[in-house]
Amino acid sequence: MARIETTCVQGGYTAKNGEPRQIPIIQSTTFKYDTSADMGKLFDLEAEGYFYTRLQNPTNDMVAAKLCALEGGTAAMLTSSGQAANFYSVFNIANCGDHVVSSSSIYGGTYNLFAVTMKKMGIDFTFVSPDCTEEELEAAFRPNTKAVFGETIANPALTVLDIEMFANAAHRHGVPLIVDNTFATPVNCRPFEWGADIVTHSTTKYLDGHGVSVGGAIIDSGKFDWSKYPDKYPGLCTPDESYHGVVYVEKFGVGGAFITKATSQLMRDFGSIQSPQNAFYINLGIESLHVRMKRHCENAQKVAEYLSTHDMVSWVTYCGLPGDRYYERAQKYLPNGSCGVVSFGVKGGRKAAEDFMKNLHIAAIETHVADAHSCCLHPASATHRQMNDDELRAAGVTPDLVRLSCGIENVDDIIEDIAQALEVVRNTEY
């Protein structure tokens, strides 16, 4: 098995004699067949191939195969966004009347998806602190619980999930742990190695790394045995009458059932497909992922150290800082670095935080994070704007919180930019 750096560059596609060296962009909605019988085999899931890009596309599958190899899974699929990936990962196994346990410290868009939209679909969520005790976590489960969800490194609170504890609790109750690994990427953490069963990504972030392509991904570890719980997961263990009565676990095994169902059923009906062009861009980003993540983490570490000593900064969260509440946990799960994002509070509160950001020259204010350019955001005014104060606190978001995504520029320039913006705040009355 190739090391992760080689897989970033070479995984997912091997050119044969005379074929394109780079992954080809198959920009076609449909695919030709000689007979209806040939196409019928595809609709019956009796043969491999492509017939309509809404379900599958060769370019997408090549990139999915690379991500599958990077995470150490058995099957993977791309989606149109990280939101779609998280929705599919849960809705693939939870239906109306079911229940899911989730860490409260997750991306604001994911929280709204779970607490508002999926609640309207009849799926109930219980949110627990990522710092909960085992007893508190156990108390969140119900007889109808179908999954547990968390983020390796939460956006923007930067809490580090105790993956092993959450996985053990999930497995005691016969349900899978789903982990959004967007911020850490497989370069810095592979959740399957700590007991997670399904991994999701917003490929829009570090995997793309250049702010050009929106996308998502779901990867299955192939380790959760759905067949042990047929009553709990009928969608995987009983005939799907909407797809010729196929029983996914029987036909595709533990390693392929989850992704096949999500593709042939959810992608068929919801259509959140990744475009081949965007998948191509994501692959280009992944080729340099192992190089960029090292620089992102180095820059963020130096920025966090600088901020932690500045008298205009009230607090700093970065798990690479000794003394950070997640430092020890990060040494376990993220020994080679975490991500390039630093969260901190500016003295003076919400208005001071907003003034600080508008006076930055290198870091732009963007509803984005985790690419080569430094950028910043005030989550309480943007991504988490829909939350009330209690929900914000549960998600680890305070009114003064600034999320600074350190790019791969020269770190001295980033720090000098931060310094001059903080001086503007110092000389302003609030």
Side-chain angles (χ1 to χ4, degrees):
M1 179 180 176
R3 292 171 176 81
I4 202 160
E5 296 87 352
T6 303
T7 303
C8 282
V9 179
Q10 301 272 355
Y13 171 70
T14 301
K16 297 177 183 177
N17 189 47
E19 290 185 341
R21 177 63 191 86
Q22 188 52 274
I23 284 178
I25 304 170
I26 310 300
Q27 193 67 47
S28 180
T29 59
T30 54
F31 301 81
K32 175 188 175 295
Y33 288 89
D34 293 335
T35 69
S36 294
D38 289 337
M39 184 173 285
K41 292 176 182 177
L42 300 176
F43 277 92
D44 288 341
L45 302 178
E46 295 292 343
E48 294 184 2
Y50 303 91
F51 54 87
Y52 196 54
T53 282
R54 174 157 53 84
L55 273 82
Q56 284 182 284
N57 175 281
T59 305
N60 294 357
D61 282 358
M62 293 171 194
V63 180
K66 175 177 283 190
L67 283 171
C68 190
L70 287 170
E71 288 287 6
T74 58
M77 65 187 292
L78 299 188
T79 62
S80 59
S81 67
Q83 280 288 85
N86 284 337
F87 172 60
Y88 281 15
S89 70
V90 174
F91 197 62
N92 203 34
I93 51 177
N95 302 308
C96 181
D98 289 336
H99 172 254
V100 176
V101 176
S102 174
S103 168
S104 62
S105 188
I106 55 177
Y107 169 59
T110 306
Y111 181 90
N112 290 331
L113 169 67
F114 291 169
V116 179
T117 301
M118 295 189 77
K119 185 176 181 179
K120 293 177 183 177
M121 302 170 75
I123 302 172
D124 196 16
F125 286 78
T126 295
F127 295 94
V128 298
S129 168
D131 302 321
C132 65
T133 64
E134 289 190 38
E135 292 73 21
E136 289 169 334
L137 183 54
E138 283 287 330
F141 286 85
R142 303 176 187 172
N144 61 337
T145 300
K146 295 297 181 69
V148 179
F149 183 93
E151 295 180 3
T152 308
I153 306 170
N155 175 14
L158 302 184
T159 57
V160 178
L161 189 71
D162 190 340
I163 301 173
E164 201 165 33
M165 185 183 85
F166 273 71
N168 289 338
H171 297 159
R172 282 195 297 271
H173 291 269
V175 303
L177 172 62
I178 303 169
V179 174
D180 184 329
N181 198 34
T182 296
F183 267 19
T185 81
V187 169
N188 285 338
C189 183
R190 292 177 16 131
F192 294 156
E193 296 175 356
W194 300 101
D197 302 289
I198 306 292
V199 159
T200 64
H201 283 278
S202 170
T203 61
T204 316
K205 309 304 189 298
Y206 287 119
L207 294 176
D208 165 26
H210 300 85
V212 298
S213 177
V214 174
I218 309 172
I219 303 99
D220 184 6
S221 69
K223 295 177 181 178
F224 190 86
D225 190 352
W226 312 100
S227 64
K228 289 176 63 177
Y229 312 98
D231 294 336
K232 188 173 289 188
Y233 302 106
L236 289 162
C237 301
T238 60
D240 178 1
E241 298 305 333
S242 75
Y243 226 105
H244 317 293
V246 64
V247 179
Y248 293 102
V249 167
E250 291 181 1
K251 191 168 185 65
F252 301 100
V254 171
F258 185 89
I259 294 296
T260 303
K261 177 179 180 293
T263 300
S264 59
Q265 191 182 88
L266 301 187
M267 192 65 81
R268 174 197 66 194
D269 295 342
F270 291 100
S272 302
I273 189 69
Q274 174 70 271
S275 79
Q277 185 75 45
N278 279 0
F280 177 83
Y281 292 142
I282 290 165
N283 182 65
L284 288 182
I286 295 173
E287 288 186 355
S288 64
L289 179 66
H290 57 293
V291 180
R292 290 185 289 105
M293 285 308 294
K294 182 178 180 181
R295 181 60 173 265
H296 282 296
C297 292
E298 289 174 350
N299 281 1
Q301 182 70 32
K302 291 178 181 177
V303 166
E305 290 170 356
Y306 171 77
L307 290 168
S308 68
T309 64
H310 202 288
D311 63 352
M312 289 302 297
V313 174
S314 53
W315 56 270
V316 181
T317 294
Y318 189 70
C319 64
L321 287 176
D324 184 89
R325 65 187 299 186
Y326 297 104
Y327 180 79
E328 294 302 326
R329 193 177 292 175
Q331 296 307 298
K332 174 179 178 179
Y333 295 114
L334 303 155
N336 298 317
S338 57
C339 65
V341 182
V342 181
S343 290
F344 60 98
V346 179
K347 288 183 179 179
R350 181 187 290 259
K351 184 64 167 60
E354 292 173 345
D355 285 350
F356 163 76
M357 293 194 306
K358 76 180 183 182
N359 282 285
L360 291 170
H361 303 303
I362 291 177
I365 300 174
E366 301 177 12
T367 310
H368 197 234
V369 67
D371 72 25
H373 298 75
S374 290
C375 57
C376 61
L377 188 75
H378 185 241
S381 300
T383 54
H384 292 62
R385 192 180 185 91
Q386 295 80 11
M387 292 184 176
N388 60 40
D389 288 347
D390 289 340
E391 291 169 340
L392 285 170
R393 280 190 289 270
V397 178
T398 55
D400 62 344
L401 187 154
V402 172
R403 184 187 72 184
L404 178 65
S405 178
C406 299
I408 57 175
E409 303 94 346
N410 184 290
V411 72
D412 292 333
D413 289 333
I414 297 173
I415 290 173
E416 288 171 8
D417 191 30
I418 291 169
Q420 65 81 25
L422 286 172
E423 284 306 306
V424 173
V425 173
R426 184 195 301 280
N427 297 320
T428 304
E429 291 187 8
Y430 295 97

